Amino acid sequence: MSTASIQSNPIKARRLRLSLRAPSADSVTRIARALLLPLLGLLVFLFAWHIAARNIDTSLGQFPGPAQVYEQTFGLIADHNRERAREAAFMERQEERNAAILAKDPSAEVRLRDYTGKPTFVDQVGTSLVTVLSGFFVATLIAIPLGILIGLNGTLYAALNPLIQLFKPVSPLAWLPLVTMVVSALYVSDDPMFAKSFLTSLITVSLCSLWPTLINTAVGVSSISQDLKNVSKVLRLPFMTHVIKIAIPASIPAMFTGLRLSLGIAWMVLIAAEMLAQNPGLGKFVWDEFQNGSSDSLGRIMVAVLVIGIIGFMLDRAMQLLQSRISWDKNAVVR
Amino acid sequence: MTHLELTGVAIDFPTSRGPFRALNGVNLKIDQGEFVSLIGHSGCGKSTVLNIVAGLYQATEGGVVLEGKEVREPGPERAVVFQNHSLLPWLSAYENVELAVKQVFRNSKSKAEMKEWIEHNLELVHMSHALHKRPDEISGGMKQRVGIARALAMQPKVLLMDEPFGALDALTRAHLQDSLMDIQARLNNTVIMITHDVDEAVLLSDRIVMMTNGPAATVGEILNIELERPRNRIELADDVRYNHYRHEVLSFLYEKQRKPPEGVTTAAQEKNKPAKTTELAQDLHSNTVSDGEKAAHAAA
Ligand SMILES: Nc1ncnc2c1ncn2[C@@H]1O[C@H](COP(=O)(O)OP(=O)(O)O)[C@@H](O)[C@H]1O
Ligand SMILES: [Mg+2]
């Protein structure tokens, strides 16, 4: 009974999707739902925000409403362009000077110094993105193989499960001082490939974000149906073939659930870590603006908040896209 | 000559209330090319017998000998067709069979030979038109066909089938039974098939092994089906011998091995198989359909 209904499920689901595509009066309502309702929600939100902002006075002036945020967005972009122009001018002047020196004495040694301006908002967004992706990448590199091993091996699972449960809920802020000290102590090099701040952020992000992927992968692998395991046994598949042909594909849907959670956590953790450790990135931008305390600060922080949200959303969308490309289980790709 | 032999097979499953003896003293000899059905009430231990032959379970006492060698672990010479097809859902029909063929013939067939062999086996079960469809894109009957193709492609010494058609509707089941008889006539495989369908057992088997109720289930009676092949279900419907065999099996199941009423089942049984109590009721129901009706279905 129950097996029969499970088998028919995907077929049912497909039929459902087909009927969604069929043109009908229904589809008009559906488009309205898909477009108009979110738009309406947004408008109501903007209005409520506008009203609320006018009624909140802080020591740094009025709380920024939509209009100020809009204004600040262009302000920040203008800042960035101005800074870039300055950098270009600086480099040009250097090159002119060097050319002049070389013209006089072709054997003279000339140097190009880097422009050391203050990183702009756009720079900080870039830094944060690079850091979060690197941290997430490292976490994935650890979590997926380990998750597969744990999922395949009951003994390993029993041995590691308490540790996983213990470390999973640790807040990034608790890791940060330790990671900072360890990085300063161990990462000593005259010509460092990475900045220490980058490494600290990266490691903190990895430590906090690897758990969902690890756990979901392990659960995915360990819950492979007994029938499929039996198929593998009857065929006497070697260990690696079993992993590649059965364990990994079977746990891909669960793996992606974990990856999406991990990426979300990585992004949240990174902002907090940057704020606390004063490591370059969006978190530092927010903190600097807060310390700065000019009349524009709150507006700029609000821009940062929105950008953080938008980037988090887009990262999740990107993972979802990847999932729908890679995963065989097309029915699992929802929400 | 005995091809496969079970001698004094007994198995204990560990439970929270101590070991639970599911099978006791199961003896069975099967010849090369023989088609044997296992029938018995659900929960009696049919799957356990099959799993022991497959090597997926280890007998506590006694053992299984195939062509003079004791069975110790699973292997492709004892291919299994599972009740729920158990195809890998991320692979197409072709790739599912390919996984088996690549493993079994990796040292003996060239790439081209493998391709031909895969296609040949899928052809055998009439699946050539859907080679590159994935399991969720084909019907239950087609999935079961691919499962059979995968097992046949391993060129097994024994083909083990655990209620292969149990989840299918009557019409599809009849088609697959006919396909299986065709294939069996051509390849002369040794087959052990579990079924709870009396007609299926009589139609397909050379012998029907009827199992007593558990716990400590064993072989109750063995019925030789002496109907000449090829067998035709419509002609057989009016055959006196056919109906006699049917009656024998039914009387074993519902008179001699009447299932104890609900509530008398042992605690171990209840704990292990909570969802299967309705199967007997379905059996009874399906067996009340007259033969004429069934034949008409099958002919349609
Ligand atoms: N892995 C197992 N662990 C414990 N008990 C089991 C296990 N497999 C089967 N059993 C028990 O053995 C008996 C026979 O089961 P099974 O062979 O599946 O019956 P059938 O296939 O005839 O319906 C049942 O009582 C079942 O609960
Ligand atoms: Mg069974």
Side-chain angles (χ1 to χ4, degrees):
Chain A
M1 261 313 285
S2 63
T3 49
S5 69
I6 288 169
Q7 280 180 334
S8 68
N9 254 345
I11 296 167
K12 250 185 234 156
R14 208 157 0 107
R15 234 179 262 146
L16 209 68
R17 249 187 289 143
L18 281 181
S19 72
L20 293 189
R21 262 187 240 130
S24 66
D26 231 32
S27 66
V28 178
T29 349
R30 227 170 272 284
I31 291 169
R33 270 175 171 282
L35 286 176
L36 289 181
L37 289 185
L39 206 66
L40 196 68
L42 188 67
L43 283 177
V44 170
F45 169 74
L46 287 177
F47 184 69
W49 176 15
H50 175 70
I51 299 294
R54 289 175 64 165
N55 293 309
I56 304 176
D57 274 311
T58 73
S59 58
L60 291 179
Q62 209 181 51
F63 191 83
Q68 285 94 316
V69 168
Y70 181 78
E71 205 176 284
Q72 287 305 330
T73 308
F74 287 99
L76 285 169
I77 292 173
D79 276 357
H80 176 71
N81 291 340
R82 207 177 307 126
E83 197 69 9
R84 275 295 119 84
R86 251 186 239 158
E87 182 182 350
F90 173 79
M91 297 311 272
E92 204 177 315
R93 255 182 285 128
Q94 270 197 89
E95 267 162 31
E96 274 171 21
R97 213 179 307 135
N98 286 339
I101 295 173
L102 283 175
K104 272 190 205 154
D105 173 11
S107 63
E109 253 181 50
V110 292
R111 266 181 305 168
L112 268 185
R113 249 171 303 150
D114 281 344
Y115 179 71
T116 50
K118 184 170 164 287
T120 65
F121 179 69
V122 179
D123 296 335
Q124 301 285 40
V125 170
T127 309
S128 284
L129 265 178
V130 169
T131 316
V132 80
L133 291 179
S134 317
F136 174 68
F137 181 72
V138 171
T140 306
L141 227 52
I142 298 170
I144 287 184
L146 195 60
I148 291 172
L149 282 181
I150 292 176
L152 286 174
N153 188 328
T155 320
L156 206 59
Y157 177 80
L160 293 184
N161 191 39
L163 287 178
I164 294 173
Q165 299 303 333
L166 180 72
F167 286 123
K168 189 180 65 160
V170 173
S171 151
L173 308 184
W175 282 117
L176 197 59
L178 297 175
V179 174
T180 312
M181 296 318 290
V182 170
V183 168
S184 335
L186 297 185
Y187 191 67
V188 274
S189 137
D190 294 334
D191 181 24
M193 187 158 64
F194 303 111
K196 275 186 183 160
S197 58
F198 172 76
L199 277 186
T200 321
S201 298
L202 181 152
I203 294 173
T204 309
V205 165
S206 304
L207 277 177
C208 296
S209 70
L210 64 84
W211 309 109
T213 306
L214 178 65
I215 293 169
N216 278 279
T217 306
V219 168
V221 171
S222 67
S223 55
I224 297 173
S225 86
Q226 189 59 45
D227 276 356
L228 296 192
K229 289 187 212 163
N230 284 345
V231 167
S232 172
K233 282 188 195 163
V234 167
L235 285 173
R236 292 211 186 116
L237 293 184
F239 178 75
M240 275 322 283
T241 316
H242 176 76
V243 169
I244 293 166
K245 292 284 182 179
I246 295 186
I248 292 179
S251 54
I252 281 247
M255 230 181 259
F256 267 103
T257 308
L259 285 172
R260 280 174 65 188
L261 285 171
S262 281
L263 189 53
I265 290 181
W267 184 235
M268 281 205 267
V269 161
L270 177 68
I271 304 299
E274 285 168 350
M275 262 173 113
L276 189 75
Q278 293 291 294
N279 290 345
L282 267 172
K284 181 168 161 57
F285 173 86
V286 169
W287 191 251
D288 285 351
E289 285 300 332
F290 179 57
Q291 296 297 322
N292 201 359
S294 81
S295 55
D296 288 341
S297 287
L298 289 185
R300 290 170 166 234
I301 292 177
M302 200 62 203
V303 175
V305 166
L306 293 180
V307 168
I308 290 170
I310 290 167
I311 291 179
F313 173 73
M314 292 201 313
L315 287 175
D316 190 58
R317 270 301 145 107
M319 280 308 290
Q320 215 176 321
L321 206 69
L322 198 67
Q323 177 175 15
S324 65
R325 280 287 169 81
I326 291 179
S327 181
W328 50 272
D329 189 0
K330 304 296 178 207
N331 290 316
V333 186
V334 279
R335 277 186 289 274
Chain B
M1 197 205 86
T2 306
H3 183 61
L4 176 77
E5 183 164 8
L6 284 78
T7 322
V9 169
I11 190 167
D12 290 333
F13 288 115
T15 68
S16 53
R17 308 156 120 250
F20 167 69
R21 174 142 300 205
L23 297 175
N24 198 28
V26 175
N27 292 303
L28 190 60
K29 287 183 184 181
I30 297 174
D31 290 336
Q32 158 66 41
E34 207 178 359
F35 194 117
V36 173
S37 292
L38 283 183
I39 201 163
H41 287 286
S42 96
C44 74
K46 304 180 296 292
S47 297
T48 307
V49 171
L50 204 80
N51 281 327
I52 291 173
V53 177
L56 292 165
Y57 289 170
Q58 281 298 319
T60 316
E61 288 168 21
V64 180
V65 174
L66 174 63
E67 290 188 340
K69 266 189 245 152
E70 191 179 350
V71 167
R72 293 182 178 281
E73 53 170 358
E77 77 280 2
R78 280 160 286 120
V80 186
V81 176
F82 298 93
Q83 176 167 12
N84 295 312
H85 65 80
S86 54
L87 299 176
L88 308 186
W90 50 89
L91 298 182
S92 67
Y94 181 92
E95 291 164 333
N96 264 288
V97 179
E98 186 184 37
L99 180 69
V101 169
K102 271 193 171 163
Q103 181 60 23
V104 176
F105 299 102
R106 63 185 181 285
N107 297 323
S108 52
K109 279 194 199 298
S110 72
K111 257 198 172 150
E113 284 170 335
M114 282 194 203
K115 182 169 188 290
E116 201 180 316
W117 180 240
I118 296 163
E119 283 168 356
H120 168 76
N121 279 282
L122 281 160
E123 163 105 63
L124 217 53
V125 295
H126 309 297
M127 282 299 296
S128 298
H129 62 289
L131 292 184
H132 302 294
K133 290 237 159 82
R134 287 210 320 234
D136 64 346
E137 298 167 325
I138 57 182
S139 70
M142 287 157 91
K143 282 185 258 209
Q144 213 48 274
R145 285 176 189 275
V146 178
I148 293 172
R150 176 173 66 186
L152 290 173
M154 298 178 207
Q155 232 167 29
K157 291 175 183 156
V158 188
L159 185 61
L160 305 170
M161 305 207 268
D162 191 347
E163 301 189 21
F165 312 135
L168 305 177
D169 63 278
L171 195 57
T172 312
R173 197 185 310 174
H175 279 304
L176 277 172
Q177 287 164 353
D178 290 342
S179 294
L180 186 61
M181 279 195 285
D182 276 355
I183 293 168
Q184 172 65 7
R186 278 209 254 168
L187 304 180
N188 198 32
N189 277 307
T190 310
V191 183
I192 304 180
M193 180 179 80
I194 296 177
T195 177
H196 56 245
D197 179 338
V198 177
D199 289 280
E200 181 170 280
V202 177
L203 183 67
L204 295 176
S205 315
D206 297 315
R207 276 193 299 159
I208 301 179
V209 174
M210 293 174 268
M211 291 187 58
T212 64
N213 289 337
T218 188
V219 174
E221 289 176 23
I222 296 182
L223 187 67
N224 284 314
I225 308 293
E226 276 149 9
L227 297 169
E228 52 289 336
R229 294 180 188 266
R231 295 174 184 169
N232 178 314
R233 68 177 68 240
I234 300 172
E235 287 165 15
L236 285 177
D238 298 324
D239 192 305
V240 197
R241 292 169 302 160
Y242 178 85
N243 284 312
H244 164 73
Y245 291 136
R246 259 188 108 242
H247 184 260
E248 288 282 300
V249 180
L250 286 171
S251 92
F252 176 87
L253 287 178
Y254 301 114
E255 285 166 12
K256 297 175 197 163
Q257 292 292 323
R258 179 189 288 279
K259 247 237 141 152
E262 295 302 304
V264 188
T265 44
T266 67
Q269 265 177 319
E270 281 199 341
K271 209 176 109 275
N272 292 323
K273 279 278 157 77
K276 276 218 164 177
T277 40
T278 51
E279 218 169 77
L280 175 62
Q282 285 173 358
D283 278 4
L284 277 168
H285 193 73
S286 74
N287 281 314
T288 55
V289 179
S290 78
D291 290 331
E293 248 179 82
K294 276 208 165 178
H297 268 302

